[in-house]
Amino acid sequence: MTEASSIETKRNMQPAAKLQNEENFRNNFRFDRQLPENLRFLETLSWNYFWSWKPEGTNLFREIDPRLWDECEQNPRLFLKRASELRLWQKALDTSYLERMQIFSENFEKYISAALENFKNISGVNPAAYFCAEYGIHNSLPIYSGGLGILAGDHLKSASDMNVPLVAVGLFYRYGYFRQKINHEGLQEEHYLDSFENELALEPIQDEESNLILISIHIRGREVFARAWLARIGRISLYLLDTNVEQNSEVDRLITGHLYGGDTETRIVQEKILGIGGVRLLRKLGVEPSIYHLNEGHSAFLTLELAREYLELNVNSTFDDAINFVRKKCVFTTHTPVSAGNDTFSPDAIEGCFDKNFISALKITKEELFALGRTNPEDDAEWFGMTPLALRLTRSANGVSEKHGEVSRDLWLEMFPEITKSEEVPITYVTNGIHAPTWIAPVFQTLYEKRIGKNWSEILPDETAWRAAIEKIPDAEIWKTHQLLKQLLVSFIRQKTFSAEIGSHNTINEHRNTNKLFSPDILTIGFARRVAAYKRWNLLLTDLERLVKMVDDVEKPVQFVFAGKAHPQDRSAKEILQNLMSFDENSQWQRRAVFLEDYDQEVARYLVQGVDVWLNVPRRPLEASGTSGQKVAMNGGLNLSILDGWWIEGFNGENGFSLGVLRDEDDTAIEKIDKDDAESLYKVLETEVVPTYYAKNADGLSSEWIRRMKNSLATLTPQFSSDRMLKDYIEKIYQAGK
Ligand SMILES: *Cc1c(COP(=O)(O)O)cnc(C)c1O
């Protein structure tokens, strides 16, 4: 792939020429505003994403100027720069505010300075190193696209809360992931925003003389340099590599420009920066990890760099010796249940990316390198896959739910010629979880504080004690808390669609009268996820007449809120969206269905905290785990889902609803499966979900519904927290090696 063509594919992205202007701007821009003396703690706090998972921390910023806070997309660095002097001084004289700040600052100090725990071989001196191509820490740091990133962010937050010695490595994407707009015709349009790194809480990594620390990698026939930024995630350091430095050519400066935005050549180069550059950065920082966790295959080149280092130090050793050494240090998590979802590169691309010196330093031939990335090393036609490379060069591999472990063993059986039965394939599982403090709404946290105690989060891991504690909360309080969140969601929907109104066509994202949109008293179903074929967005629209009947019902109506992005190059996904938008019947659909643009963490928070029901209808067994339903469960919403991914483990018959049947993935035609599942979806909605929701007693409460809510809160909160997940990783994976 030539450089010219790699630039060409970035037509709707930021042209390289613009970089120079921005460079000038950035050099002239400095954050030298002085905050009033007694507000200086805000400056400290703005440099650590810890504030983002503490409601009191978030409030310290927001209440200075709530409207500006949202305008700045809840980015405290930008916010402090733009907050008016008057508001800052008003707060500087607000004693109740200052008291709360004092308490929070003491808690912050205590949190940050707590001692690290040792987990066998994992210690402060030899931490675990976590590698991932994306991180969803907070919406103001837009370097994630979806589930994988959110999971990585939650992993780091739990590691911080649990005092686990862990460092993380990723990439800083200057233009992040694309933003979504829906035009009149219901078609998705994409654009990119520029994140000025000095408006974010990113600290430049420098040496003692304040020179940037640079690492270099041989790519595209020349040395390419990368600098690093530090993001503080509580007690965890997340290092983000960035090729946007003056030592690089314009083209190379854009390597880390866009997340999943470039062509294959850009992608392989990005992965080289992440894997190989990441190891080199850790060396420069003097970090000697005891274990490397490859979260998805994007970072798998790091194994080759570790092998190269080993052979440089042990000149008499062979590549096989090096592999033995590397395998002991590396563990791998796969996230994809279909082979097409795994990154593969042509031999030409690999050859273009790895120069002769690197290959000969590994003491192998080009052909041997290619073979490392094939399921069948002998098959010259097979492309180089990051998953086969990772499976070969790590000592442990796992999927992200029990079912996904099983699917992965089938999928990769052919890599293990000595094994005949897929049960014996050495791939285990750790089921995904979510970071409870990030995702549980502040009002629920307050309710828990009041009813369970200030230490509610310490009770959480004890499933029996937690269950008993939830059961004791009066129905009316659970319901009221949920209704508050639903009311908040309704007003969020009204406001967001009001400002998004751009035309006159009747599509569900353009509403003339948004203050009549949605009602907090109507059963609300949320459906938000990537627009990909296997997620089956169309399933709900299979029988429009039946759907409209539910929506229009006078006594027991239903309303729907949708959100999700389609891959920019995926035409059929965009058509699915358009189809949903242009649904234009003479019904209440226009008032009771809405599509929220630009699904991100912020939109997700309102949705998962405010809906009654979260719908998920993937084609089995393609949902590796899913985590959005876990967020809903922790906020009192009920899942209505196909039994796939995490829901197979989570559903107990009473903590939500299931649909479809658990059948073997035999050769039943897809059309038949879709038809059966659609029928099941309508039936469960009509005969279970709707009647249960509206079966209100004299107090206006549906006791059966609330019983399910409590069951869901009680059973799913401990089971699917990322603290549980991280504990599993430590016990089953990190510590299992020698
Ligand atoms: C939680 C979350 C996801 C993951 O959702 P699934 O569809 O369950 O995989 C994706 N995007 C955002 C913004 C999220 O918050």
Side-chain angles (χ1 to χ4, degrees):
M1 191 70 58
T2 65
E3 281 157 25
S5 70
S6 84
I7 303 183
E8 232 223 339
T9 58
K10 299 194 182 72
R11 248 173 289 120
N12 56 4
M13 302 177 188
Q14 214 73 17
K18 268 190 90 180
L19 282 175
Q20 197 50 49
N21 280 337
E22 288 156 11
E23 187 72 7
N24 295 339
F25 172 82
R26 284 187 300 128
N27 289 342
N28 293 333
F29 170 85
R30 276 182 316 153
F31 181 88
D32 52 5
R33 172 179 208 163
Q34 287 279 340
L35 291 174
E37 178 85 35
N38 56 3
L39 298 187
R40 293 279 160 81
F41 171 68
L42 293 177
E43 170 80 15
T44 311
L45 189 61
S46 71
W47 285 107
N48 193 320
Y49 285 92
F50 178 74
W51 64 265
S52 71
W53 69 88
K54 294 285 171 189
E56 316 90 284
T58 311
N59 284 342
L60 288 179
F61 295 115
R62 182 198 285 123
E63 69 184 272
I64 295 173
D65 185 343
R67 184 184 289 232
L68 180 65
W69 178 242
D70 283 342
E71 260 173 49
C72 296
E73 298 192 319
Q74 302 90 32
N75 168 1
R77 299 294 310 144
L78 188 60
F79 178 75
L80 290 182
K81 183 181 135 204
R82 288 178 49 187
S84 83
E85 217 176 313
L86 177 62
R87 286 302 296 153
L88 289 172
W89 279 104
Q90 283 169 338
K91 282 302 179 196
L93 273 68
D94 176 341
T95 39
S96 116
Y97 178 80
L98 294 172
E99 268 165 35
R100 275 178 286 131
M101 180 189 293
Q102 182 59 30
I103 294 170
F104 193 76
S105 107
E106 283 160 19
N107 289 340
F108 176 70
E109 284 308 321
K110 222 186 293 167
Y111 181 93
I112 293 295
S113 54
L116 285 173
E117 302 216 4
N118 281 356
F119 295 86
K120 246 163 98 178
N121 48 332
I122 303 166
S123 64
V125 184
N126 300 115
Y130 186 87
F131 278 68
C132 191
E134 50 170 304
Y135 289 91
I137 306 294
H138 182 257
N139 43 283
S140 64
L141 185 56
I143 55 167
Y144 66 94
S145 77
L148 178 69
I150 303 282
L151 180 82
D154 285 357
H155 194 101
L156 303 193
K157 292 172 189 175
S158 275
S160 174
D161 289 347
M162 293 162 65
N163 300 335
V164 178
L166 184 139
V167 296
V169 178
L171 299 177
F172 176 66
Y173 305 96
R174 174 76 189 274
Y175 304 106
Y177 192 57
F178 78 86
R179 304 290 182 108
Q180 177 193 52
K181 275 239 159 259
I182 305 291
N183 69 17
H184 302 328
E185 279 72 42
L187 258 186
Q188 168 179 297
E189 292 174 353
E190 301 94 24
H191 63 284
Y192 285 85
L193 293 184
D194 192 340
S195 324
F196 288 111
E197 60 287 279
N198 50 9
E199 287 181 351
L200 292 172
L202 296 178
E203 298 168 36
I205 300 294
Q206 300 171 331
D207 62 19
E208 276 113 47
E209 277 102 52
S210 301
N211 299 311
L212 281 189
I213 288 187
L214 292 177
I215 54 116
S216 79
I217 301 169
H218 198 81
I219 295 176
R220 296 172 169 168
R222 54 185 175 260
E223 287 303 303
V224 170
F225 297 89
R227 64 181 301 183
W229 300 96
L230 168 64
R232 295 180 191 274
I233 318 303
R235 321 185 54 204
I236 301 297
S237 296
L238 165 59
Y239 296 102
L240 299 169
L241 288 160
D242 178 4
T243 61
N244 185 19
V245 294
E246 59 191 17
Q247 288 82 350
N248 288 339
S249 69
E250 296 276 306
V251 196
D252 294 340
R253 291 175 67 164
L254 280 170
I255 291 173
T256 53
H258 306 83
L259 171 59
Y260 307 144
D263 54 17
T264 322
E265 198 269 350
T266 313
R267 182 121 169 172
I268 190 171
V269 170
Q270 281 184 342
E271 295 186 2
K272 207 172 162 191
I273 302 274
L274 174 64
I276 296 181
V279 171
R280 292 186 183 170
L281 176 72
L282 293 179
R283 293 295 173 266
K284 284 230 169 170
L285 299 172
V287 179
E288 279 297 332
S290 53
I291 187 168
Y292 295 81
H293 183 171
L294 288 62
N295 192 42
E296 190 52 304
H298 305 116
S299 58
F301 289 144
L302 81 82
T303 55
L304 299 179
E305 174 66 2
L306 293 179
R308 193 198 59 77
E309 280 184 342
Y310 179 86
L311 292 169
E312 194 174 68
L313 282 175
N314 301 278
V315 285
N316 297 323
S317 299
T318 63
F319 182 64
D320 284 345
D321 300 333
I323 285 190
N324 273 336
F325 170 80
V326 171
R327 280 178 58 102
K328 287 197 187 115
K329 288 211 165 263
C330 296
V331 300
F332 168 53
T333 301
T334 174
H335 290 261
T336 326
V338 282
S339 41
N342 292 273
D343 262 343
T344 54
F345 300 116
S346 71
D348 280 355
I350 293 290
E351 198 173 350
C353 187
F354 287 95
D355 60 295
K356 285 200 189 66
N357 292 341
F358 190 92
I359 301 176
S360 64
L362 291 176
K363 301 190 184 172
I364 51 174
T365 63
K366 197 171 77 186
E367 284 68 30
E368 286 168 320
L369 173 67
F370 295 161
L372 285 173
R374 296 191 188 121
T375 48
N376 173 4
E378 252 94 83
D379 179 2
D380 289 348
E382 196 184 324
W383 281 22
F384 188 99
M386 297 302 270
T387 303
L389 176 68
L391 287 172
R392 244 183 216 111
L393 293 190
T394 56
R395 69 162 158 79
S396 154
N398 70 280
V400 290
S401 68
E402 187 173 3
K403 177 72 187 170
H404 180 235
E406 184 189 317
V407 169
S408 302
R409 288 190 289 277
D410 282 342
L411 194 59
W412 300 106
L413 174 63
E414 54 180 319
M415 270 198 66
F416 302 88
E418 70 287 1
I419 292 175
T420 48
K421 285 190 284 205
S422 46
E423 302 92 89
E424 289 162 15
V425 170
I427 300 180
T428 178
Y429 74 94
V430 172
T431 305
N432 285 345
I434 59 162
H435 186 243
T438 295
W439 293 105
I440 298 180
V443 276
F444 259 109
Q445 299 193 33
T446 309
L447 176 67
Y448 294 156
E449 277 178 22
K450 191 172 120 211
R451 287 286 167 189
I452 301 175
K454 281 252 177 242
N455 63 341
W456 64 269
S457 60
E458 286 156 35
I459 295 171
L460 190 54
D462 181 342
E463 296 192 17
T464 322
W466 178 255
R467 189 172 185 133
I470 291 288
E471 292 302 339
K472 274 203 227 120
I473 303 177
D475 282 9
E477 289 189 29
I478 296 266
W479 185 249
K480 193 176 134 211
T481 308
H482 170 67
Q483 276 302 109
L484 286 171
L485 288 162
K486 191 165 165 189
Q487 184 69 64
L488 188 71
L489 170 64
V490 170
S491 54
F492 179 73
I493 287 172
R494 288 176 179 171
Q495 173 148 335
K496 190 151 158 112
T497 46
F498 179 74
S499 54
E501 198 212 323
I502 46 168
S504 58
H505 290 250
N506 273 341
T507 63
I508 67 166
N509 63 316
E510 294 175 20
H511 299 273
R512 296 263 117 218
N513 217 344
T514 60
N515 59 351
K516 294 225 181 92
L517 199 65
F518 263 58
S519 154
D521 301 319
I522 295 180
L523 170 61
T524 302
I525 300 180
F527 186 84
R529 49 202 74 257
R530 209 152 36 84
V531 189
Y534 81 88
K535 305 246 186 195
R536 297 195 294 186
W537 277 67
N538 279 334
L539 207 68
L540 186 67
L541 305 183
T542 313
D543 187 342
L544 293 182
E545 216 172 295
R546 217 162 153 186
L547 176 63
V548 168
K549 198 156 164 261
M550 279 190 278
V551 170
D552 282 357
D553 194 289
V554 179
E555 312 260 284
K556 297 171 181 167
V558 178
Q559 61 195 4
F560 289 94
V561 51
F562 302 97
K565 293 176 179 178
H567 190 281
Q569 267 96 47
D570 188 344
R571 284 191 79 85
S572 64
K574 288 187 171 182
E575 278 162 20
I576 292 176
L577 263 192
Q578 195 174 24
N579 189 13
L580 175 85
M581 300 291 169
S582 58
F583 186 101
D584 185 13
E585 290 283 319
N586 265 341
S587 77
Q588 298 286 350
W589 182 261
Q590 291 293 329
R591 272 188 17 182
R592 293 188 181 151
V594 64
F595 183 89
L596 298 179
E597 286 176 328
D598 212 26
Y599 184 45
D600 68 357
Q601 257 189 89
E602 158 87 345
V603 174
R605 223 173 0 250
Y606 282 101
L607 285 177
V608 300
Q609 294 174 355
V611 295
D612 298 303
V613 170
W614 194 248
L615 179 63
N616 191 19
V617 289
R619 181 173 294 125
R620 299 185 73 242
L622 300 183
E623 182 88 319
S625 166
T627 54
S628 55
Q630 301 169 353
K631 301 167 193 166
V632 172
M634 288 195 200
N635 285 285
L638 295 182
N639 280 273
L640 164 57
S641 173
I642 292 274
L643 283 167
D644 198 13
W646 76 282
W647 193 230
I648 301 177
E649 292 159 63
F651 183 56
N652 67 6
E654 305 198 325
N655 56 2
F657 304 92
S658 78
L659 62 96
V661 282
L662 250 189
R663 61 175 129 204
D664 287 333
E665 290 75 40
D666 52 21
D667 36 39
T668 314
I670 278 179
E671 294 74 23
K672 165 96 173 100
I673 294 175
D674 287 358
K675 193 162 164 277
D676 291 352
D677 286 349
E679 171 59 31
S680 170
L681 168 60
Y682 289 120
K683 190 154 167 254
V684 175
L685 279 172
E686 291 160 352
T687 62
E688 291 185 56
V689 180
V690 174
T692 312
Y693 181 85
Y694 285 106
K696 308 240 161 132
N697 62 20
D699 300 330
L701 302 177
S702 165
S703 49
E704 172 57 18
W705 192 271
I706 298 171
R707 198 176 64 76
R708 283 184 192 245
M709 285 171 77
K710 283 173 129 177
N711 196 322
S712 170
L713 289 165
T715 56
L716 302 174
T717 311
Q719 196 182 350
F720 296 100
S721 87
S722 53
D723 286 5
R724 188 275 306 147
M725 171 180 79
L726 186 61
K727 196 162 161 281
D728 283 355
Y729 270 107
I730 291 171
E731 286 168 7
K732 281 173 70 173
I733 311 280
Y734 294 174
Q735 294 187 330
K738 272 155 228 75

